[in-house]
Short mmCIF file of all heavy atoms in Angstrom, two decimals:
data_model
loop_
_atom_site.label_atom_id
_atom_site.label_comp_id
_atom_site.label_asym_id
_atom_site.label_seq_id
_atom_site.Cartn_x
_atom_site.Cartn_y
_atom_site.Cartn_z
N MET A 1 110.12 49.40 -20.21
CA MET A 1 108.90 49.25 -20.93
C MET A 1 109.18 48.78 -22.36
O MET A 1 110.16 49.16 -22.96
CB MET A 1 108.15 50.58 -20.94
CG MET A 1 106.84 50.57 -21.69
SD MET A 1 106.17 52.25 -21.72
CE MET A 1 104.49 51.87 -21.59
N SER A 2 108.31 47.92 -22.89
CA SER A 2 108.50 47.37 -24.22
C SER A 2 107.21 47.50 -25.01
O SER A 2 106.13 47.35 -24.49
CB SER A 2 108.92 45.90 -24.10
OG SER A 2 109.13 45.35 -25.37
N GLU A 3 107.36 47.81 -26.29
CA GLU A 3 106.23 47.92 -27.22
C GLU A 3 106.49 47.04 -28.42
O GLU A 3 107.60 47.00 -28.92
CB GLU A 3 106.03 49.37 -27.68
CG GLU A 3 105.63 50.32 -26.58
CD GLU A 3 104.22 50.15 -26.09
OE1 GLU A 3 103.41 49.50 -26.77
OE2 GLU A 3 103.90 50.69 -25.01
N ILE A 4 105.44 46.38 -28.90
CA ILE A 4 105.53 45.58 -30.09
C ILE A 4 104.55 46.18 -31.12
O ILE A 4 103.39 46.37 -30.81
CB ILE A 4 105.22 44.10 -29.81
CG1 ILE A 4 106.24 43.52 -28.86
CG2 ILE A 4 105.18 43.31 -31.13
CD1 ILE A 4 105.98 42.12 -28.42
N LEU A 5 105.08 46.46 -32.31
CA LEU A 5 104.28 47.10 -33.34
C LEU A 5 104.28 46.22 -34.60
O LEU A 5 105.33 45.66 -34.95
CB LEU A 5 104.79 48.47 -33.67
CG LEU A 5 104.79 49.46 -32.52
CD1 LEU A 5 106.19 49.65 -32.00
CD2 LEU A 5 104.23 50.77 -32.93
N ASP A 6 103.15 46.19 -35.29
CA ASP A 6 103.02 45.58 -36.59
C ASP A 6 103.34 46.68 -37.59
O ASP A 6 102.65 47.71 -37.61
CB ASP A 6 101.62 45.03 -36.77
CG ASP A 6 101.40 44.41 -38.13
OD1 ASP A 6 102.31 43.70 -38.62
OD2 ASP A 6 100.33 44.65 -38.73
N VAL A 7 104.35 46.50 -38.43
CA VAL A 7 104.76 47.52 -39.36
C VAL A 7 104.74 46.93 -40.76
O VAL A 7 105.45 45.99 -41.07
CB VAL A 7 106.15 48.07 -39.04
CG1 VAL A 7 106.59 49.12 -40.08
CG2 VAL A 7 106.19 48.67 -37.64
N GLN A 8 103.92 47.50 -41.64
CA GLN A 8 103.77 47.02 -43.00
C GLN A 8 104.67 47.85 -43.93
O GLN A 8 104.84 49.05 -43.72
CB GLN A 8 102.33 47.19 -43.46
CG GLN A 8 101.32 46.45 -42.59
CD GLN A 8 101.50 44.98 -42.61
OE1 GLN A 8 101.68 44.38 -43.68
NE2 GLN A 8 101.46 44.34 -41.44
N GLY A 9 105.24 47.19 -44.93
CA GLY A 9 106.03 47.91 -45.91
C GLY A 9 107.53 47.72 -45.82
O GLY A 9 108.27 48.23 -46.65
N MET A 10 107.99 46.99 -44.81
CA MET A 10 109.44 46.77 -44.69
C MET A 10 109.79 45.60 -45.58
O MET A 10 109.33 44.47 -45.37
CB MET A 10 109.81 46.43 -43.24
CG MET A 10 109.58 47.55 -42.28
SD MET A 10 110.17 47.10 -40.59
CE MET A 10 109.15 45.67 -40.20
N THR A 11 110.60 45.84 -46.61
CA THR A 11 110.92 44.80 -47.58
C THR A 11 112.41 44.47 -47.67
O THR A 11 112.76 43.52 -48.34
CB THR A 11 110.42 45.21 -48.97
OG1 THR A 11 111.06 46.44 -49.36
CG2 THR A 11 108.91 45.37 -49.02
N CYS A 12 113.26 45.27 -47.00
CA CYS A 12 114.70 45.06 -47.15
C CYS A 12 115.44 45.59 -45.92
O CYS A 12 114.85 46.16 -45.02
CB CYS A 12 115.22 45.72 -48.41
SG CYS A 12 115.03 47.53 -48.39
N GLY A 13 116.73 45.40 -45.95
CA GLY A 13 117.57 45.92 -44.85
C GLY A 13 117.52 47.42 -44.75
O GLY A 13 117.59 47.97 -43.64
N HIS A 14 117.40 48.11 -45.88
CA HIS A 14 117.31 49.57 -45.85
C HIS A 14 116.05 50.00 -45.08
O HIS A 14 116.07 50.95 -44.30
CB HIS A 14 117.26 50.13 -47.27
CG HIS A 14 117.11 51.61 -47.28
ND1 HIS A 14 115.85 52.21 -47.39
CD2 HIS A 14 117.99 52.61 -47.20
CE1 HIS A 14 116.02 53.52 -47.36
NE2 HIS A 14 117.31 53.79 -47.26
N CYS A 15 114.95 49.28 -45.29
CA CYS A 15 113.71 49.58 -44.57
C CYS A 15 113.90 49.41 -43.06
O CYS A 15 113.45 50.24 -42.27
CB CYS A 15 112.57 48.65 -45.05
SG CYS A 15 112.13 48.83 -46.76
N GLU A 16 114.57 48.33 -42.68
CA GLU A 16 114.85 48.09 -41.24
C GLU A 16 115.66 49.27 -40.66
O GLU A 16 115.38 49.71 -39.57
CB GLU A 16 115.58 46.78 -41.07
CG GLU A 16 114.76 45.56 -41.38
CD GLU A 16 115.55 44.29 -41.18
OE1 GLU A 16 116.60 44.29 -40.51
OE2 GLU A 16 115.07 43.24 -41.69
N LYS A 17 116.65 49.71 -41.41
CA LYS A 17 117.48 50.80 -40.92
C LYS A 17 116.68 52.09 -40.79
O LYS A 17 116.85 52.85 -39.85
CB LYS A 17 118.68 51.01 -41.83
CG LYS A 17 119.70 49.91 -41.72
CD LYS A 17 120.85 50.12 -42.67
CE LYS A 17 121.82 48.96 -42.62
NZ LYS A 17 122.93 49.11 -43.54
N ALA A 18 115.78 52.33 -41.76
CA ALA A 18 114.96 53.56 -41.74
C ALA A 18 114.03 53.53 -40.51
O ALA A 18 113.89 54.57 -39.83
CB ALA A 18 114.16 53.69 -43.02
N VAL A 19 113.43 52.40 -40.23
CA VAL A 19 112.54 52.31 -39.08
C VAL A 19 113.33 52.46 -37.77
O VAL A 19 112.94 53.19 -36.86
CB VAL A 19 111.76 50.96 -39.11
CG1 VAL A 19 111.03 50.69 -37.77
CG2 VAL A 19 110.77 50.95 -40.26
N THR A 20 114.48 51.80 -37.71
CA THR A 20 115.33 51.91 -36.53
C THR A 20 115.76 53.37 -36.31
O THR A 20 115.69 53.89 -35.20
CB THR A 20 116.57 51.00 -36.65
OG1 THR A 20 116.12 49.64 -36.80
CG2 THR A 20 117.47 51.14 -35.46
N ARG A 21 116.18 54.02 -37.37
CA ARG A 21 116.62 55.39 -37.25
C ARG A 21 115.49 56.32 -36.80
O ARG A 21 115.68 57.20 -35.97
CB ARG A 21 117.16 55.87 -38.64
CG ARG A 21 117.80 57.21 -38.63
CD ARG A 21 118.54 57.55 -39.95
NE ARG A 21 117.88 57.05 -41.16
CZ ARG A 21 118.37 56.07 -41.91
NH1 ARG A 21 119.49 55.46 -41.61
NH2 ARG A 21 117.71 55.69 -43.01
N ALA A 22 114.29 56.09 -37.29
CA ALA A 22 113.14 56.91 -36.89
C ALA A 22 112.88 56.77 -35.39
O ALA A 22 112.58 57.77 -34.72
CB ALA A 22 111.88 56.49 -37.68
N ILE A 23 113.02 55.58 -34.89
CA ILE A 23 112.78 55.35 -33.44
C ILE A 23 113.89 55.96 -32.62
O ILE A 23 113.67 56.63 -31.60
CB ILE A 23 112.62 53.85 -33.16
CG1 ILE A 23 111.33 53.34 -33.81
CG2 ILE A 23 112.63 53.59 -31.67
CD1 ILE A 23 111.21 51.84 -33.85
N LEU A 24 115.16 55.74 -33.04
CA LEU A 24 116.29 56.27 -32.29
C LEU A 24 116.37 57.78 -32.28
O LEU A 24 116.93 58.38 -31.38
CB LEU A 24 117.59 55.66 -32.82
CG LEU A 24 117.73 54.17 -32.58
CD1 LEU A 24 119.05 53.66 -33.17
CD2 LEU A 24 117.66 53.80 -31.09
N GLN A 25 115.74 58.43 -33.27
CA GLN A 25 115.68 59.90 -33.24
C GLN A 25 114.81 60.38 -32.10
O GLN A 25 115.02 61.48 -31.60
CB GLN A 25 115.16 60.43 -34.58
CG GLN A 25 116.18 60.37 -35.68
CD GLN A 25 115.67 60.87 -37.02
OE1 GLN A 25 114.48 60.92 -37.26
NE2 GLN A 25 116.60 61.25 -37.87
N LEU A 26 113.87 59.56 -31.67
CA LEU A 26 113.04 59.94 -30.53
C LEU A 26 113.68 59.56 -29.19
O LEU A 26 113.53 60.25 -28.21
CB LEU A 26 111.67 59.21 -30.61
CG LEU A 26 110.77 59.60 -31.75
CD1 LEU A 26 109.49 58.76 -31.68
CD2 LEU A 26 110.40 61.09 -31.67
N ASP A 27 114.37 58.42 -29.18
CA ASP A 27 114.98 57.91 -27.94
C ASP A 27 116.25 57.12 -28.27
O ASP A 27 116.16 55.99 -28.75
CB ASP A 27 113.96 57.03 -27.22
CG ASP A 27 114.51 56.48 -25.92
OD1 ASP A 27 115.65 56.78 -25.54
OD2 ASP A 27 113.78 55.73 -25.25
N LEU A 28 117.39 57.73 -28.03
CA LEU A 28 118.65 57.09 -28.32
C LEU A 28 118.91 55.82 -27.49
O LEU A 28 119.72 54.99 -27.83
CB LEU A 28 119.82 58.07 -28.13
CG LEU A 28 119.97 59.12 -29.21
CD1 LEU A 28 121.06 60.13 -28.82
CD2 LEU A 28 120.33 58.46 -30.52
N GLN A 29 118.22 55.71 -26.36
CA GLN A 29 118.43 54.57 -25.49
C GLN A 29 117.56 53.38 -25.86
O GLN A 29 117.73 52.28 -25.31
CB GLN A 29 118.13 54.97 -24.03
CG GLN A 29 118.97 56.10 -23.52
CD GLN A 29 120.47 55.80 -23.63
OE1 GLN A 29 120.93 54.73 -23.25
NE2 GLN A 29 121.25 56.74 -24.14
N ALA A 30 116.63 53.58 -26.76
CA ALA A 30 115.72 52.50 -27.16
C ALA A 30 116.50 51.35 -27.81
O ALA A 30 117.48 51.55 -28.51
CB ALA A 30 114.67 53.01 -28.13
N GLN A 31 116.02 50.14 -27.54
CA GLN A 31 116.60 48.96 -28.17
C GLN A 31 115.56 48.46 -29.18
O GLN A 31 114.44 48.13 -28.79
CB GLN A 31 116.88 47.89 -27.12
CG GLN A 31 117.93 48.34 -26.12
CD GLN A 31 118.09 47.35 -24.98
OE1 GLN A 31 117.21 46.54 -24.71
NE2 GLN A 31 119.19 47.46 -24.28
N VAL A 32 115.93 48.41 -30.42
CA VAL A 32 115.03 48.06 -31.51
C VAL A 32 115.39 46.71 -32.08
O VAL A 32 116.53 46.44 -32.43
CB VAL A 32 115.08 49.13 -32.64
CG1 VAL A 32 114.08 48.80 -33.73
CG2 VAL A 32 114.84 50.52 -32.05
N ARG A 33 114.39 45.82 -32.13
CA ARG A 33 114.59 44.50 -32.73
C ARG A 33 113.48 44.34 -33.80
O ARG A 33 112.30 44.44 -33.49
CB ARG A 33 114.44 43.40 -31.69
CG ARG A 33 114.75 42.04 -32.26
CD ARG A 33 114.66 40.95 -31.25
NE ARG A 33 115.06 41.39 -29.94
CZ ARG A 33 114.90 40.69 -28.85
NH1 ARG A 33 114.35 39.51 -28.87
NH2 ARG A 33 115.29 41.17 -27.67
N ILE A 34 113.91 44.06 -35.02
CA ILE A 34 112.97 43.94 -36.13
C ILE A 34 113.01 42.53 -36.69
O ILE A 34 114.08 41.97 -36.93
CB ILE A 34 113.33 44.96 -37.25
CG1 ILE A 34 113.16 46.40 -36.71
CG2 ILE A 34 112.45 44.73 -38.49
CD1 ILE A 34 113.56 47.46 -37.68
N THR A 35 111.83 41.97 -36.87
CA THR A 35 111.64 40.70 -37.56
C THR A 35 110.84 41.00 -38.80
O THR A 35 109.60 41.05 -38.76
CB THR A 35 110.92 39.67 -36.65
OG1 THR A 35 111.58 39.59 -35.39
CG2 THR A 35 110.88 38.29 -37.31
N ARG A 36 111.55 41.28 -39.87
CA ARG A 36 110.91 41.73 -41.11
C ARG A 36 109.91 40.71 -41.66
O ARG A 36 108.84 41.09 -42.13
CB ARG A 36 111.97 42.02 -42.17
CG ARG A 36 111.42 42.61 -43.42
CD ARG A 36 112.48 42.95 -44.47
NE ARG A 36 113.84 42.80 -44.09
CZ ARG A 36 114.75 42.21 -44.85
NH1 ARG A 36 114.46 41.71 -46.01
NH2 ARG A 36 115.99 42.14 -44.44
N GLU A 37 110.25 39.43 -41.61
CA GLU A 37 109.38 38.38 -42.14
C GLU A 37 107.99 38.39 -41.45
O GLU A 37 106.98 38.01 -42.06
CB GLU A 37 110.00 37.01 -42.00
CG GLU A 37 111.32 36.87 -42.73
CD GLU A 37 112.51 37.49 -42.00
OE1 GLU A 37 112.43 37.77 -40.79
OE2 GLU A 37 113.53 37.75 -42.66
N ALA A 38 107.96 38.81 -40.19
CA ALA A 38 106.72 38.83 -39.42
C ALA A 38 106.14 40.25 -39.33
O ALA A 38 105.14 40.45 -38.64
CB ALA A 38 106.96 38.31 -38.02
N ASN A 39 106.76 41.21 -39.99
CA ASN A 39 106.35 42.62 -39.93
C ASN A 39 106.31 43.12 -38.49
O ASN A 39 105.43 43.90 -38.13
CB ASN A 39 104.98 42.81 -40.60
CG ASN A 39 104.99 42.47 -42.05
OD1 ASN A 39 105.91 42.85 -42.77
ND2 ASN A 39 104.01 41.73 -42.49
N ARG A 40 107.26 42.70 -37.71
CA ARG A 40 107.22 42.99 -36.27
C ARG A 40 108.41 43.89 -35.87
O ARG A 40 109.57 43.62 -36.26
CB ARG A 40 107.31 41.68 -35.50
CG ARG A 40 107.38 41.82 -34.02
CD ARG A 40 107.45 40.47 -33.39
NE ARG A 40 107.91 40.59 -32.04
CZ ARG A 40 107.55 39.79 -31.07
NH1 ARG A 40 106.74 38.79 -31.31
NH2 ARG A 40 107.98 39.97 -29.86
N VAL A 41 108.09 44.92 -35.11
CA VAL A 41 109.12 45.79 -34.55
C VAL A 41 108.90 45.80 -33.06
O VAL A 41 107.83 46.16 -32.57
CB VAL A 41 109.00 47.23 -35.13
CG1 VAL A 41 110.02 48.13 -34.43
CG2 VAL A 41 109.22 47.22 -36.63
N GLU A 42 109.93 45.40 -32.32
CA GLU A 42 109.88 45.44 -30.86
C GLU A 42 110.83 46.54 -30.37
O GLU A 42 111.98 46.59 -30.78
CB GLU A 42 110.31 44.09 -30.27
CG GLU A 42 110.22 44.06 -28.78
CD GLU A 42 110.58 42.71 -28.19
OE1 GLU A 42 110.78 41.75 -28.95
OE2 GLU A 42 110.66 42.62 -26.97
N VAL A 43 110.31 47.41 -29.56
CA VAL A 43 111.09 48.50 -29.00
C VAL A 43 111.10 48.34 -27.50
O VAL A 43 110.08 48.37 -26.83
CB VAL A 43 110.48 49.86 -29.37
CG1 VAL A 43 111.39 50.99 -28.88
CG2 VAL A 43 110.27 50.00 -30.88
N ALA A 44 112.30 48.14 -26.96
CA ALA A 44 112.48 47.95 -25.52
C ALA A 44 113.27 49.09 -24.92
O ALA A 44 113.93 49.84 -25.66
CB ALA A 44 113.17 46.62 -25.26
N ASN A 45 113.19 49.20 -23.62
CA ASN A 45 113.98 50.17 -22.87
C ASN A 45 113.66 51.61 -23.30
O ASN A 45 114.55 52.42 -23.49
CB ASN A 45 115.49 49.88 -23.06
CG ASN A 45 116.35 50.63 -22.08
OD1 ASN A 45 115.94 50.81 -20.94
ND2 ASN A 45 117.51 51.06 -22.47
N THR A 46 112.38 51.91 -23.42
CA THR A 46 111.98 53.26 -23.78
C THR A 46 110.74 53.67 -23.01
O THR A 46 109.85 52.87 -22.75
CB THR A 46 111.68 53.37 -25.30
OG1 THR A 46 111.38 54.74 -25.60
CG2 THR A 46 110.54 52.47 -25.72
N PRO A 47 110.70 54.92 -22.61
CA PRO A 47 109.49 55.42 -21.91
C PRO A 47 108.41 55.92 -22.89
O PRO A 47 107.34 56.31 -22.48
CB PRO A 47 110.01 56.58 -21.08
CG PRO A 47 111.14 57.10 -21.88
CD PRO A 47 111.77 55.87 -22.55
N LEU A 48 108.71 55.89 -24.18
CA LEU A 48 107.81 56.44 -25.20
C LEU A 48 106.55 55.60 -25.33
O LEU A 48 106.59 54.37 -25.27
CB LEU A 48 108.49 56.55 -26.55
CG LEU A 48 109.68 57.49 -26.62
CD1 LEU A 48 110.39 57.32 -27.95
CD2 LEU A 48 109.22 58.91 -26.41
N ALA A 49 105.44 56.28 -25.55
CA ALA A 49 104.15 55.62 -25.76
C ALA A 49 104.12 54.99 -27.14
O ALA A 49 104.80 55.44 -28.06
CB ALA A 49 103.01 56.61 -25.59
N ARG A 50 103.30 53.95 -27.28
CA ARG A 50 103.15 53.26 -28.56
C ARG A 50 102.81 54.23 -29.67
O ARG A 50 103.35 54.13 -30.78
CB ARG A 50 102.06 52.18 -28.42
CG ARG A 50 101.87 51.40 -29.68
CD ARG A 50 100.69 50.45 -29.59
NE ARG A 50 100.64 49.51 -30.69
CZ ARG A 50 100.33 49.82 -31.95
NH1 ARG A 50 100.04 51.06 -32.26
NH2 ARG A 50 100.33 48.91 -32.89
N GLU A 51 101.91 55.18 -29.43
CA GLU A 51 101.46 56.07 -30.49
C GLU A 51 102.63 56.98 -30.96
O GLU A 51 102.71 57.31 -32.14
CB GLU A 51 100.30 56.93 -30.03
CG GLU A 51 99.65 57.73 -31.14
CD GLU A 51 99.34 56.92 -32.41
OE1 GLU A 51 98.79 55.81 -32.30
OE2 GLU A 51 99.67 57.39 -33.52
N ALA A 52 103.52 57.38 -30.04
CA ALA A 52 104.66 58.20 -30.45
C ALA A 52 105.59 57.39 -31.37
O ALA A 52 106.11 57.90 -32.35
CB ALA A 52 105.39 58.71 -29.23
N LEU A 53 105.79 56.12 -31.03
CA LEU A 53 106.62 55.27 -31.86
C LEU A 53 105.98 55.05 -33.22
O LEU A 53 106.65 55.15 -34.25
CB LEU A 53 106.83 53.92 -31.15
CG LEU A 53 107.60 53.98 -29.82
CD1 LEU A 53 107.49 52.65 -29.09
CD2 LEU A 53 109.06 54.35 -30.06
N ALA A 54 104.67 54.78 -33.21
CA ALA A 54 103.95 54.54 -34.46
C ALA A 54 103.99 55.80 -35.36
O ALA A 54 104.18 55.68 -36.57
CB ALA A 54 102.52 54.14 -34.16
N ALA A 55 103.85 56.96 -34.76
CA ALA A 55 103.89 58.20 -35.53
C ALA A 55 105.25 58.38 -36.21
O ALA A 55 105.32 58.78 -37.37
CB ALA A 55 103.55 59.38 -34.66
N ALA A 56 106.31 58.08 -35.51
CA ALA A 56 107.67 58.22 -36.07
C ALA A 56 107.87 57.22 -37.24
O ALA A 56 108.44 57.59 -38.24
CB ALA A 56 108.71 57.99 -34.99
N ILE A 57 107.35 56.04 -37.08
CA ILE A 57 107.47 55.03 -38.13
C ILE A 57 106.63 55.43 -39.35
O ILE A 57 107.08 55.32 -40.49
CB ILE A 57 107.07 53.64 -37.61
CG1 ILE A 57 108.07 53.19 -36.54
CG2 ILE A 57 107.00 52.63 -38.73
CD1 ILE A 57 107.65 51.96 -35.74
N ARG A 58 105.44 55.94 -39.10
CA ARG A 58 104.60 56.42 -40.22
C ARG A 58 105.27 57.54 -40.97
O ARG A 58 105.24 57.63 -42.19
CB ARG A 58 103.23 56.86 -39.69
CG ARG A 58 102.33 55.73 -39.30
CD ARG A 58 100.98 56.25 -38.87
NE ARG A 58 100.19 55.17 -38.25
CZ ARG A 58 99.88 55.13 -36.98
NH1 ARG A 58 100.17 56.12 -36.15
NH2 ARG A 58 99.18 54.10 -36.53
N GLU A 59 105.87 58.45 -40.20
CA GLU A 59 106.57 59.60 -40.82
C GLU A 59 107.73 59.13 -41.70
O GLU A 59 108.07 59.78 -42.71
CB GLU A 59 107.06 60.56 -39.73
CG GLU A 59 107.57 61.86 -40.28
CD GLU A 59 107.90 62.85 -39.17
OE1 GLU A 59 107.00 63.12 -38.35
OE2 GLU A 59 109.03 63.33 -39.15
N ALA A 60 108.31 57.99 -41.35
CA ALA A 60 109.41 57.43 -42.16
C ALA A 60 108.89 56.73 -43.43
O ALA A 60 109.65 56.29 -44.24
CB ALA A 60 110.23 56.48 -41.32
N GLY A 61 107.54 56.62 -43.54
CA GLY A 61 106.97 56.07 -44.76
C GLY A 61 106.39 54.68 -44.67
O GLY A 61 106.11 54.06 -45.70
N TYR A 62 106.21 54.18 -43.47
CA TYR A 62 105.71 52.83 -43.30
C TYR A 62 104.32 52.87 -42.61
O TYR A 62 103.97 53.83 -41.95
CB TYR A 62 106.69 51.98 -42.49
CG TYR A 62 108.03 51.95 -43.18
CD1 TYR A 62 108.99 52.91 -42.93
CD2 TYR A 62 108.29 51.01 -44.18
CE1 TYR A 62 110.21 52.91 -43.62
CE2 TYR A 62 109.49 51.00 -44.86
CZ TYR A 62 110.43 51.96 -44.59
OH TYR A 62 111.61 51.94 -45.28
N THR A 63 103.59 51.76 -42.77
CA THR A 63 102.22 51.70 -42.26
C THR A 63 102.24 50.97 -40.92
O THR A 63 102.81 49.86 -40.82
CB THR A 63 101.30 50.94 -43.24
OG1 THR A 63 101.34 51.63 -44.48
CG2 THR A 63 99.88 50.86 -42.73
N VAL A 64 101.59 51.58 -39.93
CA VAL A 64 101.41 50.96 -38.63
C VAL A 64 99.92 50.96 -38.35
O VAL A 64 99.34 51.99 -38.06
CB VAL A 64 102.14 51.73 -37.51
CG1 VAL A 64 101.96 51.01 -36.17
CG2 VAL A 64 103.62 51.88 -37.84
N PRO A 65 99.27 49.80 -38.53
CA PRO A 65 97.81 49.74 -38.28
C PRO A 65 97.49 50.13 -36.84
O PRO A 65 98.28 49.87 -35.91
CB PRO A 65 97.45 48.27 -38.54
CG PRO A 65 98.58 47.73 -39.38
CD PRO A 65 99.79 48.51 -38.96
N ALA A 66 96.34 50.74 -36.68
CA ALA A 66 95.90 51.17 -35.35
C ALA A 66 95.54 50.01 -34.44
O ALA A 66 95.35 48.93 -34.81
CB ALA A 66 94.70 52.09 -35.45
#
């Protein structure tokens, strides 16, 4: 299963690492691909629902529009 999320507020490599870390804390098997210029986070190989992923990213300090 794959989810694509629009994530606002990622401005640097540190931001990418923080978002990746937030997702991997929920699912170590998840594959995270971030395209910062497009504010896009793609999470593959995870059974987690979109809302669970979005909540983890929000908790890390970033905005995920509904």
